[in-house]
Amino acid sequence: MNRMLLPMLGHTNGKRSPLTCALKCGSQCTKPLCNTSSNQSFREVASTAMSRRAALGLGAAAAVTVGVTVTGTRTEAQATFAYWGASHGALDFEPIESVAATVDDLNVPAGYGWSPIVRWGDPLFNDAPEFDPRNQTPEAQAKQFGFNNDYLDIIPDADGTTGVLVCNHEYTNENLMFPANQRADLEHTAAVAIAAHGMAVVEITRDGAGKPWTYVRGGARNRRITADTPFTVDGPAAGSDLLKTVADPEGKTVLGTQNNCSGGVTPWGTVLSGEENIQNVLSGTETMENTRYGLPTEPPERRWDLVDPRWDGNNEGYENEVNRFGYVVEIDPSDPSSTPVKHTALGRFKHEGANVYVAGDGTVVAYSGDDERFEYLYKFVAEDKYVEGDRAHNMTLLSSGDLYVAKFTGNSEGEIDGSGRRPADGVFDGKGEWLPLVVDGESKVEGMAVDEVLVFTRLASDKAGATKMDRPEDVEPNPHTGKVYVACTNNTKRGEPGKAGADEANPRTNNRDGHVIELTEDDPNSAGTTFQWDILMVCGDPAKDSTAYFAGFPTDKVSPISCPDNLAFDSQGNLWISTDGAPSTIGFNDGLFRVELTGENRGRTQQFLSVPQDAETCGPVIHDKDDMVYVSVQHPGEDGSFEEPRSYFPDYVLPTREGEGQFGFARPSVVQVFPVKKGKDPFGKDKGKDKGKGKGNGPRGPKQESYRGKATEELRNKARKAPRTYAED
C-alpha cells in the first residue's frame, strides 16, 4: 500500500486556495518559471535541436505527414454556435448581486431555476453500476460520468428535443473522491482517477424547445473517453522519433487523453479538446525540453506510474511518453465507434482549448492559448478550405496547415508603468504580428525541423520572439464578426525581478484580476499575418480598484468581475465570460457574466449566475433563444474532504438524509438554467418520458425539478464551518 502525501500548502496568489493550485496545475506558480527566454535569441535551443537530430540520425527533414479521415455514422451535427435555441426566447434577466465566497449555493436571476443534467458518478450505460462513492472502482468509474467536468457543449439534434452533451473531465480531487482509508492506497486511487479523466458524450432528451434536459442512460451515442482510450496521431509529427515508445514503436497511436481543460465545437460538428496541465500525472528525464514544459523528474503525487509504467518517462522505453500529450484532440460525438485524433499540426503546449472560425472564402482558422504565466497565443490556418456539407473532408482540415504565434506591439508603450492606468489616448491598443512557426510544410524556426517545432512548440515560440502573456486561456472568435477575444486570466508574477515587466498588452504588474483582449485580423479572411488589438476589459472590482476598465462603460454600473477564464457568445453577439479565481481576488464566488460589445452599452458587464463555495465556473453554453444557459460546475467544496464537505452541491442533502441517487457531499456537475413561471412545471407534463433515442433504460438523470432553494441555511452554515485544507491568514 502506498500512502498519499498531502501537497505542501502555502498561500499562492491569484487563485482561491493552495489546494486548487496543487491539484489543478501542480502549483506551477510556486516553481521556477518555465519560460525563461528573453525572446531575443535562443541559439541554445537551435544547437540542442540539431544535436538531437544528429544523434537520432534524422537530418534536417521533417517527418512524413500522415492524414487521418474519420467518418461518422450520422449526418453533420449542428454546431452549438449555429443553434442558440428554437423557442424564440430572449434571455432577459436582472443581473444578480455578487455573492460572498463563503456561500454554498448556486445563484441565478429572478424568474430562473436550475437543475443538474448529469453529476459525477451517474451511470451512463445499461451495464454501468450505480454510483457507490464509498466503494468506487476503476471499472465502475469508466462507465460513469467522470470527475471535474470542464469544457461543455450541448449539441441538439434537428428537432431540438434530443441531442448530446459533451464535456471534458480535467483533473481529480482525491480528497473529495475517496474516504481517508482509501486515499492511503495510491495504486487504487490512481486507477480510479485514470478512469475519471478524459471526456464524456451523453445523450440528452427533453419535452420541447426551451424545456430542461434529462440525460439518457444507455443512450446510443453515450461514450467515455479516458486516459486509456486509443488515439490516432496525425499531422506532420505523426511517426516522428520524438513520439515513439516501446509500446508504440511507430509513434502513431497514443493511449489516452488527460488534464483536458477547455475546447470547442467545429462547424462540422466534431468537438475539440485541449490537453493542458499534463505535468500533473507525467514525469520525465531532466532535459531542457521537459523543463520548458514544467515536467517533474520524479512521479507526481497521484502516482499513475504505479498503474502503468508509461506515466514515468524515466522508465526505459518510455522517455518520449511526455511528448505524446499536450495536443488538441478531436472527437466525433455522433459516432461512439470512431477513433479520436491528436492533431500535432496545432502544436504541443498547455492548450486551454481550440476554437475554429470559417471565413467567408472557406479559410479555416483555429485559435488557442497556452495557459500558463508568460506563455503565448497561437493561430493555425488550415491548408485546405471548408466545404459546406462535406463532413468527411472537413474532418481532415486540422491535419495540415500553417502555425503562427502572436507578437503584440502597443501604441503607447512609453506610458505603460505597470499600474494599470490607461495611456493618454485612453485605451490600451496597438498592432500585432503572427510570427511563422510552420508554413507550407516547412519550419520557419532556425535550427528546428517541423516535428521539433510541433513537439517543442514552446521552444520554437521562444526563439520566434512571441509576446509573453498573462495566462492566455480561452480564445474565442465571434461567429458574427470574426473578431477574436482572448481571456488573460491573471499573472501575479509580472514585473517581479528577473521576469517580464508590464507592456501595453499586459499593462499591470502583479496582475491578480486579469483582462480580456479584442483582436481584429487585418485580412478579412483571417489568413493574414497582421492584426489590430485593444483591451476590452481590465478586470476587477471598480469599488476597490480605480484601474478597472470596461471599454469606457461607467464602472459604477457594472458587475465586479475577476479572473476571466472561458468565453462564449449568444445569438446577439454578446460575449459571455466565466471566471476562475474570483474568491481570492475580489472575495466573491466565481460566476458567469454577459458583456455587450457594440453601441453605447459596449463594455456593460452583468452577472448572470454564481457557483457554490470553492467552485469554478466552466464551459458556458448560451442558447438564448431557448432562454437556456449551461455551465460546468467544477470542484465545488474543493477545500473540504470526503468526510467533512465544504459544499453539498448539487443535491443539498445531509448524509443522514440521502435519497436515491443523492449524496451528502459535493459532486461536480453539469447545470442547466431555465425560466420558471409561477405555478408552471418547467419539465412539462411528460417528465420522464422516453423519447426513444436512448434505448436501454431510457432517461436516468437527477430528479426532475428546479433545485433553486435546495441549499438551506442549515446546509450553508454546515459547509461554511467545515475545516479547510489550509490555514487562512
Side-chain angles (χ1 to χ4, degrees):
M1 179 177 290
N2 298 279
R3 183 168 298 278
M4 173 174 282
L5 301 176
L6 286 174
M8 294 180 64
L9 298 182
H11 277 284
T12 54
N13 293 324
K15 294 294 289 183
R16 62 178 55 77
S17 82
L19 185 66
T20 301
C21 294
L23 295 178
K24 187 166 188 175
C25 66
S27 299
Q28 284 298 107
C29 63
T30 67
K31 297 177 181 178
L33 197 65
C34 290
N35 190 350
T36 59
S37 69
S38 64
N39 287 354
Q40 298 298 318
S41 174
F42 214 84
R43 298 194 181 278
E44 301 91 341
V45 177
S47 61
T48 301
M50 292 301 289
S51 298
R52 285 178 62 89
R53 297 200 68 80
L56 292 170
L58 297 178
V64 177
T65 300
V66 178
V68 179
T69 301
V70 183
T71 303
T73 59
R74 295 171 54 85
T75 57
E76 186 166 342
Q78 188 165 25
T80 191
F81 55 70
Y83 179 76
W84 284 312
S87 66
H88 309 292
L91 200 58
D92 293 325
F93 67 93
E94 288 295 323
I96 68 170
E97 296 293 329
S98 301
V99 177
T102 55
V103 175
D104 181 33
D105 198 0
L106 193 144
N107 288 272
V108 296
Y112 287 85
W114 68 271
S115 174
I117 302 177
V118 62
R119 307 157 296 187
W120 166 50
D122 279 336
L124 300 186
F125 307 95
N126 291 332
D127 61 348
E130 301 300 324
F131 184 44
D132 183 358
R134 295 170 179 86
N135 297 284
Q136 192 72 325
T137 67
E139 294 79 14
Q141 179 65 88
K143 294 183 177 182
Q144 299 164 342
F145 195 66
F147 202 78
N148 268 346
N149 33 245
D150 194 303
Y151 170 75
L152 169 69
D153 221 308
I154 304 292
I155 308 176
D157 295 325
D159 65 358
T161 62
T162 59
V164 291
L165 175 158
V166 186
C167 79
N168 294 344
H169 297 294
E170 184 180 8
Y171 71 100
T172 47
N173 292 85
E174 283 75 8
N175 58 309
L176 302 181
M177 296 174 68
F178 302 100
N181 64 319
Q182 294 182 29
R183 293 199 297 272
D185 184 351
L186 277 185
E187 187 170 354
H188 170 71
T189 60
V192 174
I194 288 171
H197 274 70
M199 303 179 70
V201 180
V202 187
E203 285 202 343
I204 50 178
T205 183
R206 62 180 177 178
D207 289 322
K211 298 285 187 180
W213 298 91
T214 301
Y215 92 84
V216 180
R217 181 175 182 173
R221 291 171 283 181
N222 286 8
R223 186 178 191 184
R224 277 300 320 283
I225 294 170
T226 73
D228 283 332
T229 301
F231 279 71
T232 294
V233 182
D234 83 350
S240 166
D241 281 4
L242 298 174
L243 298 183
K244 294 176 180 178
T245 68
V246 66
D248 176 28
E250 293 187 351
K252 296 180 181 179
T253 303
V254 175
L255 291 183
T257 188
Q258 41 90 358
N259 281 273
N260 301 66
C261 196
S262 190
V265 168
T266 68
W268 46 94
T270 60
V271 171
L272 306 179
S273 174
E275 298 177 331
E276 191 187 46
N277 286 304
I278 62 173
Q279 78 283 351
N280 276 346
V281 296
L282 281 162
S283 56
T285 56
E286 188 172 358
T287 65
M288 179 184 64
E289 293 88 350
N290 286 348
T291 298
R292 185 63 183 84
Y293 282 80
L295 288 153
T297 56
E298 298 292 331
E301 290 166 340
R302 288 184 173 92
R303 294 305 304 273
W304 283 19
D305 62 299
L306 297 175
V307 179
D308 189 331
R310 69 189 173 104
W311 299 108
D312 183 2
N314 293 289
N315 290 324
E316 185 176 357
Y318 292 107
E319 294 83 357
N320 286 336
E321 191 70 24
V322 295
N323 297 336
R324 293 150 64 85
F325 294 89
Y327 298 99
V328 170
V329 304
E330 183 173 12
I331 71 165
D332 182 0
S334 68
D335 182 5
S337 66
S338 60
T339 302
V341 178
K342 294 200 178 192
H343 290 301
T344 65
L346 275 69
R348 173 176 167 262
F349 44 90
K350 293 181 182 179
H351 288 271
E352 171 74 11
N355 289 280
V356 169
Y357 179 72
V358 178
D361 70 343
T363 297
V364 172
V365 181
Y367 297 92
S368 190
D370 187 346
D371 181 12
E372 194 165 325
R373 290 170 172 85
F374 302 112
E375 294 301 339
Y376 307 130
L377 172 67
Y378 294 86
K379 178 173 83 167
F380 169 84
V381 182
E383 178 181 0
D384 296 328
K385 298 291 183 71
Y386 174 80
V387 178
E388 181 71 30
D390 190 345
R391 193 164 193 255
H393 164 77
N394 294 333
M395 289 177 70
T396 68
L397 290 173
L398 302 183
S399 301
S400 60
D402 301 336
L403 184 63
Y404 301 88
V405 66
K407 180 177 181 179
F408 291 77
T409 302
N411 290 338
S412 308
E413 288 290 356
E415 301 178 49
I416 305 302
D417 61 6
S419 68
R421 288 190 295 269
R422 295 188 301 282
D425 63 5
V427 291
F428 298 111
D429 63 346
K431 300 179 180 180
E433 180 182 0
W434 293 110
L435 306 174
L437 299 178
V438 174
V439 176
D440 294 332
E442 297 182 356
S443 169
K444 298 301 179 180
V445 182
E446 182 183 358
M448 298 182 75
V450 170
D451 61 339
E452 291 179 313
V453 171
L454 299 179
V455 174
F456 305 128
T457 311
R458 282 185 167 183
L459 297 173
S461 299
D462 292 342
K463 190 178 181 191
T467 298
K468 297 179 178 181
M469 305 297 290
D470 286 350
R471 282 187 62 197
E473 295 211 33
D474 209 2
V475 185
E476 291 271 353
N478 187 329
H480 293 275
T481 66
K483 290 180 179 291
V484 180
Y485 294 82
V486 184
C488 294
T489 296
N490 55 39
N491 184 357
T492 57
K493 301 295 184 180
R494 185 170 289 277
E496 289 188 353
K499 300 180 176 66
D503 56 50
E504 195 159 357
N506 305 275
R508 292 191 291 195
T509 56
N510 188 27
N511 181 12
R512 294 179 61 85
D513 293 308
H515 57 284
V516 178
I517 294 175
E518 182 181 69
L519 185 154
T520 305
E521 297 273 15
D522 288 334
D523 183 341
N525 291 316
S526 301
T529 58
T530 59
F531 58 87
Q532 310 294 315
W533 65 270
D534 68 278
I535 293 184
L536 170 74
M537 178 186 300
V538 178
C539 297
D541 183 350
K544 303 173 184 177
D545 182 359
S546 62
T547 67
Y549 170 74
F550 296 80
F553 192 81
T555 56
D556 61 343
K557 297 180 180 179
V558 300
S559 299
I561 182 173
S562 180
C563 303
D565 189 342
N566 297 144
L567 309 176
F569 293 91
D570 61 27
S571 67
Q572 304 303 309
N574 296 308
L575 176 68
W576 290 71
I577 303 174
S578 65
T579 66
D580 172 21
S584 65
T585 57
I586 56 176
F588 300 125
N589 276 339
D590 279 314
L592 178 64
F593 302 77
R594 182 177 68 187
V595 183
E596 297 178 54
L597 297 177
T598 59
E600 63 182 12
N601 288 331
R602 174 175 163 85
R604 180 164 72 168
T605 301
Q606 298 172 299
Q607 185 166 3
F608 181 78
L609 63 76
S610 70
V611 293
Q613 178 170 259
D614 299 346
E616 171 187 346
T617 320
C618 302
V621 177
I622 316 300
H623 289 175
D624 53 319
K625 290 185 179 179
D626 264 358
D627 276 325
M628 300 284 287
V629 171
Y630 310 86
V631 294
S632 288
V633 178
Q634 192 184 88
H635 56 74
E638 180 161 56
D639 285 320
S641 66
F642 189 96
E643 292 79 12
E644 296 184 275
R646 276 178 50 83
S647 176
Y648 293 87
F649 170 87
D651 296 326
Y652 290 108
V653 297
L654 288 168
T656 56
R657 302 175 191 168
E658 293 178 351
E660 181 181 356
Q662 296 180 328
F663 297 93
F665 52 76
R667 299 167 71 180
S669 303
V670 172
V671 165
Q672 56 191 333
V673 182
F674 44 82
V676 176
K677 295 181 180 178
K678 191 172 183 179
K680 296 285 187 179
D681 179 2
F683 287 89
K685 298 178 181 179
D686 300 323
K687 58 183 179 180
K689 180 179 178 182
D690 189 345
K691 294 294 181 182
K693 294 289 184 181
K695 312 303 179 186
N697 293 339
R700 172 59 167 74
K703 188 176 180 181
Q704 295 180 326
E705 62 181 7
S706 174
Y707 278 51
R708 182 170 186 155
K710 290 199 73 172
T712 64
E713 189 65 28
E714 176 187 12
L715 285 168
R716 290 198 298 270
N717 285 336
K718 190 174 178 66
R720 185 181 300 116
K721 295 176 181 178
R724 306 190 78 147
T725 56
Y726 67 98
E728 297 182 82
D729 288 339

